[in-house]
Every structure is written in structure tokens, then in C-alpha cells.
Amino acid sequence: MGQETTNRYYQRIEEKAKDLPWYVGEYIDKRKRKLSPASLLNYCHDYLIFFSWILAEGIFEGKRTDIPLEVLQRLTRQQAEDFLSFLQFQLNNSELTVNRKLSSLKSLFHYLQNIAETTDLEPYISRNVMAKVELNAIKEDQETLANRMEGKILRGEEYETFRQFVAHDYGLINKDNKKLLNFHQKNRERDTAIVSLILGSGIRLSEVVGLNVDDIDFRKYTVRVIRKGNKEQYVYFSEQAMLDLKEYLSIRVSRYSLEKSNKILFIAASMGPKGTTRRLTSRSIEKLVEKYATAFGKPALSVHKLRHSFATRYQLENNDIPKLRRQLGHSSVQTTMIYTHLTNNEMQEAVNNMDRTKDPIDETDDHK
């Protein structure tokens, strides 16, 4: 999502927030650092529907912006259930959509009860009716999960395009921002190696965080990881990941002012006393991927989606679920089977291409 689009989203969010009670506007402002602008705009739509329903039901008489906190605190569980019924049977929302809108309300009410506080250090509300309401139990099949995931992962040429973006293009588009440019120039080899390793192996975020230099086998193209259940496993990674790891390792000691005895693979930029170094945390890696993904125009791309991207590509090219299951460290083959659904479209296209590229001579021979 470009900066211009992001600004438009925030402008619409501000416009919607003006039609909501002050405490909702406060909550939305607090969530700007945590949620994407698209998600925040959806929250605003959900809250407009909810507070309009309160007026339509006669629970409060007056303007939507004037609905006080006391109204929320006095809502009964039956009234909350009535609102969900309104969504499902009058607005014809699907169970998934009802769940999403209920989740946004749960998040708001949680903030009002457990986070926000008055000048007297009291919570905005002492009773949270939304905590008493359960989400619809929906069991999605693997194909549904796959379809939802499909637009949020890298496909085809995007693998290399995104890697190149992390390695070079991010710096180019921020050449006029000295702070961003300097930070990118210092960390681009490290960040590229992280992204390339996940895209080239599918290892988990926790596994990336825990890596040491000695865990990399440069001859066998494997990395030693500690999987769930504290199980040690050697996982293969791609040649491109190896190249990016070698480039990072060639500058790692000098760039981050490390002692040669320091074996942490992915180092955080120095903070505090000179010479202080630390391992990149899970949140730090999540944030750096989010930063590049947003600038790349694919804000839904996360560390976990990079893992999904690897798995989808592997299954498409190899069609070997048992090996993919081992590579990803899944305990159940059913978890791995989702990637067979993700690659169905590509497989169908490949079959269709066979007809379009068929040699005319072969067609003549078929009629003999």
C-alpha cells in the first residue's frame, strides 16, 4: 500500500470517527500503531452499524455521537445476542462476517474495561457484556482456508521481486529520507538473508530467531533448527538463501562490531553502551518484514505468510506432501494438505497450457 493510498485510508477513518462517540475515536487512535488502515476502516464501519442499531432499538435516544459509556455498561447479554441476530438475519451477514464484527466489538469493549482509565484511575466501564458472547463455531475446510490465504502470499515472480526489493529497491524509494536510507544500508544484507532464508526453507519465526552461525552447513545447504517439542532437525534451504547468507556473514562481524566468539546469527543494531549486541527478537523480525511488505504494496505479507509462500512453491514444483511435511515440521499431514489446494489453480493452468502449446503435427497424427 503506497503512502498516498494510506493517507486516503486515514482520511476516511477520521471522517468515520467523527460520527462515533468520543471514546470510540480514542480507541481507534490508540490502535493506529497496531492495525493496518484497511482494518481500522473496517472497524469504523462495524462500530457505525452497532451504534446506529442502539439508536434504532431505542436503547438510547439522541445522537449517535452522544451515546454515553453507561449505555454500553448496561447492555444485557440478550441485547448483544439480538444485535448479532440483526447482523445475520436482517443484514444477511455470513457467520464469518458476524464473527469479524463481534471480534471488533470485543476488542473495543476490552479496551474500555481493561486498558482505558479515567483521571481517577478507574476503567471506562466495569462490566463487559461482549466478553459473555461467544463467536460462532465455524469449521472451515482446507480449501476455504487456502482460498483466504491465497491473496496474502507471494506467487510466481514475486518471490524474487520481493527479495530484490528488500536488498535494493527499498533503499532507492527512500533515498530522500536519510534516516530510513541509513538504517537500510546498515541492515539490508541481514534483512535480505532473513527473508531469503524463510522463502528458501519455510522455517518458523521462532526457529529463525534461535539460529547461531554454527547451525548453518555450507556444504549440505542445511540449517539446524529446534522444532516444536524441542526436537532437533536439519532443514534444507535454497541456493539463493545460501548466497544471501554468505553475503550477510561476510559483513556481519565488522558491520555490527562483534567479537569473533559471538555466534548469534541475526544481530540487532547496537543500542545502549558501545559494543552491546543482542539477538534479534521475534517481534523485531515481524516488524522488519511488515515494513518491507507495506512498502512493497503487500501489507498482509507477514513472516508466517513467507513460510506459506515457500510451502506453496515447493508443493507446486515437487508435489511431494511427505517431504514438505518434514521440511515444515508439521506433526500432522492434514496441516500440510492445505498446500495442495493452494496450488490447484496453477496446476489447472499448466494442464490448459498443454492444449494451447500442442504441436499441430501431433494433432494430425492423432487422426490417422
Side-chain angles (χ1 to χ4, degrees), residues 84-98:
L84 300 184
S85 296
F86 165 76
L87 293 176
Q88 186 166 354
F89 300 112
Q90 294 193 43
L91 297 189
N92 295 318
N93 288 170
S94 67
E95 288 187 332
L96 278 173
T97 303
V98 172

Side-chain angles (χ1 to χ4, degrees), residues 202-208 224-233 235 304 307-308 325-332 335:
I203 62 176
R204 295 181 176 92
L205 173 60
S206 60
E207 295 163 357
V208 175
R224 173 185 171 273
V225 298
I226 304 301
R227 310 227 99 146
K228 290 182 177 180
N230 205 32
K231 295 178 182 178
E232 178 183 281
Q233 185 178 336
V235 179
H304 200 56
R307 174 172 155 90
H308 287 318
R325 173 189 176 186
R326 184 187 183 281
Q327 180 78 15
L328 296 176
H330 287 160
S331 58
S332 169
T335 308

Side-chain angles (χ1 to χ4, degrees), residues 132-146:
K132 303 174 182 289
V133 183
E134 296 180 353
L135 297 168
N136 291 320
I138 301 173
K139 187 173 182 180
E140 298 178 307
D141 60 29
Q142 289 175 324
E143 190 162 2
T144 301
L145 290 170

